[in-house]
Amino acid sequence: MTEAKDERRPAGELEASVMAALWAAGTPQTPGQVQRSLGTELARTTVTTILSRLHDKGVVDRRRQGRGYAYQPVRDAQDTHGLTARRMHSELNRDSDRETVLARFVAQLSPDDERILRNLLESDG
């Protein structure tokens, strides 16, 4: 194996790449089509797993095509900020001690981000 294959990608990077490929295609895509458009050494099974996870998260829709599925982004999925927020929720849901996770998250915010978060929490919206 090469060193590049041994390095782990940051969380969400593959999902973001797959979503970008789906948005660029503009039509429902099979895992094989997504794999080819990514132009990487990802296995088709890896792309299928990513697409299935995105479907479970409600980010993509799928419809039967032959023995498999073709995937497309849901109406608001191109909202990359929304995708980031869903990833943050997903990470938060992985731990049973939400208070500690949130406390550590807030403790690591920059002063500007902390101010923005405070304003959002205090706003009526």
Side-chain angles (χ1 to χ4, degrees):
M1 264 196 180
T2 66
E3 283 185 35
K5 283 187 179 181
D6 291 339
E7 293 179 23
R8 303 258 322 154
R9 289 179 177 88
E13 182 181 304
L14 286 176
E15 286 184 359
S17 296
V18 168
M19 289 301 297
L22 290 174
W23 293 322
T27 60
Q29 299 288 294
T30 65
Q33 291 170 316
V34 172
Q35 177 194 27
R36 284 189 294 281
S37 69
L38 291 174
T40 64
E41 295 182 19
L42 287 177
R44 188 187 52 76
T45 54
T46 301
V47 174
T48 301
T49 299
I50 295 165
L51 288 165
S52 294
R53 288 179 181 167
L54 289 168
H55 179 261
D56 292 344
K57 293 178 182 181
V59 179
V60 298
D61 285 328
R62 68 183 181 193
R63 64 177 168 85
R64 269 283 182 211
Q65 184 168 322
R67 294 186 311 177
Y69 292 100
Y71 296 82
Q72 66 184 23
V74 296
R75 54 184 162 76
D76 295 329
Q78 194 161 1
D79 171 19
T80 57
H81 301 301
L83 183 58
T84 300
R86 281 188 288 278
R87 283 198 317 259
M88 291 169 67
H89 276 283
S90 177
E91 289 300 317
L92 181 60
N93 290 334
R94 289 181 181 198
D95 197 303
S96 60
D97 189 356
R98 295 172 77 87
E99 184 174 348
T100 300
V101 172
L102 287 169
R104 289 189 180 170
F105 174 76
V106 171
Q108 295 174 5
L109 291 175
S110 70
D112 287 340
D113 287 343
E114 187 174 343
R115 179 187 46 76
I116 291 168
L117 183 57
R118 273 188 207 287
N119 289 342
L120 288 169
L121 292 171
E122 292 171 356
S123 73
D124 290 337

